[in-house]
Amino acid sequence: MPSTKKKARNSAKKKSKANKMKGAEDSSSPSLSSRMQRMQIGGRCNGNHGLNMNEMGMTCVPFVQKWLQGYNDAIDKVGNMEVSFKITQALTNEDAVWGSSESIDWLVSYFLMTATKQYLNGNIDMAGVDASYADFFNQHKAVVLDKTKPKIDWHEVVRIHNADRPTLAAFLRERIPCTCLD
């Protein structure tokens, strides 16, 4: 008969293995909504990797241009990613964009598209930058608009920004509806 200590150790091993399996599913498999979109479009892609250039996009394009210019200026002067994001957010303070879930969703989709294109063209560093923008906007929505998160996880934004090829591919694959990165 196994000792109590041995039972506890075996139980802990099983829980650890289950958590690792769950974590592996969470980090490497596409999200449910992404999988549903893939099924609907059959994995086909028109090169936009899920971006829908609709009326919302037309509203957001000037914002994207201001965002990119502001962030590039800020990062050159400050050199700190979190501070640069906050400076750029203050410079691009447009309630029509920052206060709209639809606008933020479009921005996330836009930066996922550009990150995917950069990745497919072999520009991994630029893909990481664009993916970090998508992650930032997605977290902004969760914190400010949906109130489902207490604060932005800056370590995650930086992790995506500096991600290696496999990590970046997994991040993007989970979030785009096409199979271009499969």
Side-chain angles (χ1 to χ4, degrees), residues 87-166:
I87 289 170
T88 308
Q89 186 174 2
L91 291 173
T92 58
N93 191 14
E94 297 177 27
D95 288 338
V97 175
W98 287 108
S100 164
S101 287
E102 283 183 319
S103 294
I104 299 298
D105 287 342
W106 189 90
L107 290 169
V108 169
S109 182
Y110 173 81
F111 284 115
L112 289 173
M113 179 212 44
T114 58
T116 302
K117 285 184 176 187
Q118 293 285 2
Y119 182 92
L120 291 170
N121 289 329
N123 302 325
I124 303 306
D125 289 343
M126 285 307 301
V129 171
D130 288 348
S132 71
Y133 295 157
D135 188 50
F136 166 75
F137 282 109
N138 195 47
Q139 288 193 55
H140 165 80
K141 181 183 173 196
V143 171
V144 176
L145 301 175
D146 298 342
K147 300 189 184 324
T148 56
K149 252 183 110 162
K151 63 182 185 170
I152 290 177
D153 181 353
W154 289 104
H155 294 290
E156 178 63 13
V157 176
V158 171
R159 184 183 78 81
I160 297 304
H161 183 275
N162 298 326
D164 60 7
R165 184 179 276 278

